[in-house]
Amino acid sequence: MVVQRFPMGIPFGWFFVSYSDEIAVGEVKPLHYFGRDLVIFRGESGDVGLLDAYCPHLGAHMGHGGTVDGDKLRCPFHSWAFRPDGFCVDIPYAKAIPPITKREPIARPYPVVEKNGVVWAWYHPDRIEPTFDVIEHAPFTESGWSAPVRRFWAFASNPQEIAENGVDLAHFEYVHKMEAVPEGKTAYDGHIRRSDAQGERVISLPDGTTKIIPSSVNTIQNGAGQKFTQLKGVVTLSLMVLATPVEADQVELRFCFTFPETPEGSPEYKAALIAIEYTCGQSGVEGDIPIWHNKIHRARPLLCDGDGPILRFRRYFEQFYTEGDTPRQMAAV
């Protein structure tokens, strides 16, 4: 019997497609997200465009050899020129441009915005325009914070599986060896989910003693693709969790950290780097990835007390799928 690992399609929402500093003015790059080949470019005005990769003329991949002309992308095959909104505005050898180019975009465009040092693209399988905005996070836009520290992983999973991990309370003990994980408070408001957990953490001191310090984890999730977490303990870490679907069963995951600006090599700086490695390593996400990479999604799981509010989270996440792409969940535990 063939097992379908994930009985859902690709969710819609705002997703990472590039860091802003990875696409320079005049640069063109091929990408592959949302099960589609794409081309990203930055025009001379500084604005970013994201289009389906294949030219609607004769099918050339515009991410390989395409060039920027002003704020337009020119196809490498016949030099047709496309604006970021997908309209063809120049065919250099044609005496009469096809009438359809006046009426509608012929290269599929994707809405993009740049916030928090990230190029966000709006994906919807039915090409519906954005229904909510990207949230700006002060630690990634204001002064007084360190240069971002970035990590990257690619594996077989999807954004829902990754996001659901935060409400799966029982796994923290058995995967991450954490002794206690406070459930905290969670609020759902349309496409936004907020959680606030307060607790204590035991740390080891250089003299061999231990100290109990207060800690907190505050999270805001804005749709399927934008998640921001602030962790406070020995140091304060601000983290963007950037999960972008490559295919329905393949995902790229990026962690982007910042922390209060402090001299390189200072105790605070070293503590921040240690906390980052702890969050990324086997005690953090790298403990989860082998499980995500090999597990299946149980649309109707057998749950017990202590598992955490998994089904409530799934009802929240269902809104980011189109009709027919949503795995129907059990009504109650």
Side-chain angles (χ1 to χ4, degrees):
M1 182 181 69
V2 178
V3 175
Q4 183 183 13
R5 290 189 62 206
F6 304 116
M8 69 276 273
I10 294 175
F12 64 83
W14 291 103
F15 294 97
F16 169 104
V17 291
S18 177
Y19 289 113
S20 292
D21 59 15
E22 291 180 338
I23 182 78
V25 170
E27 191 171 10
V28 179
K29 287 184 175 181
L31 298 176
H32 185 92
Y33 291 120
F34 321 128
R36 308 182 71 89
D37 288 321
L38 308 169
V39 56
I40 188 172
F41 63 100
R42 191 183 292 278
E44 292 178 5
S45 69
D47 292 337
V48 171
L50 184 70
L51 304 173
D52 271 354
Y54 298 106
C55 181
H57 174 217
L58 285 174
H61 193 306
M62 296 187 289
H64 295 282
T67 56
V68 169
D69 176 7
D71 283 331
K72 304 180 293 294
L73 173 67
R74 285 200 179 270
C75 175
F77 202 5
H78 297 89
S79 204
W80 287 34
F82 299 90
R83 296 190 316 222
D85 61 6
F87 277 84
C88 177
V89 292
D90 182 48
I91 303 173
Y93 58 88
K95 294 180 181 179
I97 295 179
I100 191 174
T101 63
K102 302 290 186 181
R103 298 195 305 267
E104 61 186 76
I106 59 171
R108 178 177 175 175
Y110 296 80
V112 294
V113 298
E114 290 191 72
K115 288 185 178 180
N116 311 316
V118 168
V119 179
W120 303 89
W122 172 265
Y123 169 76
H124 195 292
D126 299 330
R127 302 181 69 164
I128 292 173
E129 290 297 303
T131 55
F132 55 90
D133 296 324
V134 174
I135 295 174
E136 192 167 80
H137 299 305
F140 293 94
T141 60
E142 297 180 352
S143 61
W145 293 83
S146 70
V149 177
R150 299 168 178 172
R151 297 290 185 268
F152 169 81
W153 304 269
F155 49 94
S157 191
N158 62 31
Q160 180 176 339
E161 289 283 315
I162 294 168
E164 184 176 297
N165 217 54
V167 299
D168 178 2
L169 301 181
H171 96 281
F172 287 103
E173 177 180 355
Y174 300 102
V175 175
H176 304 302
K177 312 305 179 186
M178 297 174 66
E179 294 182 358
V181 179
E183 185 171 343
K185 299 177 181 178
T186 300
Y188 294 89
D189 183 12
H191 58 274
I192 291 178
R193 172 185 176 270
R194 290 184 172 88
S195 65
D196 178 9
Q198 308 290 330
E200 294 179 335
R201 183 176 170 189
V202 179
I203 63 169
S204 298
L205 299 176
D207 62 4
T209 62
T210 60
K211 181 180 180 181
I212 299 176
I213 63 168
S215 63
S216 66
V217 180
N218 304 100
T219 297
I220 178 168
Q221 180 153 354
N222 182 41
Q226 185 184 17
K227 184 178 179 181
F228 173 77
T229 297
Q230 191 161 78
L231 305 99
K232 293 183 178 181
V234 179
V235 295
T236 296
L237 285 183
S238 292
L239 164 64
M240 286 191 290
V241 178
L242 307 165
T244 307
V246 178
E247 301 284 350
D249 58 355
Q250 297 289 326
V251 69
E252 289 183 357
L253 176 63
R254 291 169 175 84
F255 276 14
C256 183
F257 297 90
T258 187
F259 49 89
E261 201 168 39
T262 185
E264 188 170 341
S266 67
E268 294 81 7
Y269 184 88
K270 292 178 180 178
L273 295 185
I274 290 171
I276 288 171
E277 294 311 312
Y278 180 89
T279 304
C280 293
Q282 184 63 33
S283 55
V285 69
E286 289 180 3
D288 296 306
I289 287 174
I291 296 172
W292 289 331
H293 183 72
N294 293 289
K295 74 184 295 292
I296 67 170
H297 177 89
R298 291 285 191 191
R300 295 179 176 272
L302 180 64
L303 299 175
C304 64
D305 63 324
D307 277 325
I310 291 173
L311 293 183
R312 176 64 187 90
F313 176 82
R314 290 187 178 187
R315 289 195 294 273
Y316 158 76
F317 209 93
E318 280 182 356
Q319 66 184 298
F320 307 120
Y321 295 105
T322 57
E323 188 69 26
D325 274 346
T326 304
R328 302 308 302 173
Q329 315 297 343
M330 294 174 63
V333 177

